[in-house]
Amino acid sequence: MAKTLKTSANGRKCAFGQCKRLLSIYNHDAYCRIHQDQVAQEQMSKVPYHHVL
Ligand SMILES: [Zn+2]
């Protein structure tokens, strides 16, 4: 019986539209490293500054 390590499923692909990169089982994010950054920046830039309550 193999002890399950804390890894993600094998063979997952980056969730970014056209990205075909396979994610490492040690990468628990939905995106590859490149798109992690890109998506994070896009989300930040989408936050409407004038909409802060
Ligand atoms: Zn990607």
Side-chain angles (χ1 to χ4, degrees):
M1 249 192 281
K3 196 180 175 191
T4 8
L5 295 171
K6 203 179 176 190
T7 53
S8 294
N10 214 348
R12 292 176 312 133
K13 288 200 189 97
C14 173
F16 195 89
Q18 290 144 37
C19 183
K20 299 283 194 293
R21 269 166 204 277
L22 286 177
L23 301 178
S24 154
I25 56 172
Y26 302 106
N27 179 354
H28 299 289
D29 288 298
Y31 300 95
C32 68
R33 291 195 74 126
I34 296 165
H35 287 123
Q36 262 173 47
D37 282 357
Q38 246 182 59
V39 169
Q41 275 175 19
E42 264 174 40
Q43 281 174 354
M44 274 168 71
S45 69
K46 270 181 202 160
V47 174
Y49 294 103
H50 58 274
H51 197 246
V52 180
L53 293 170

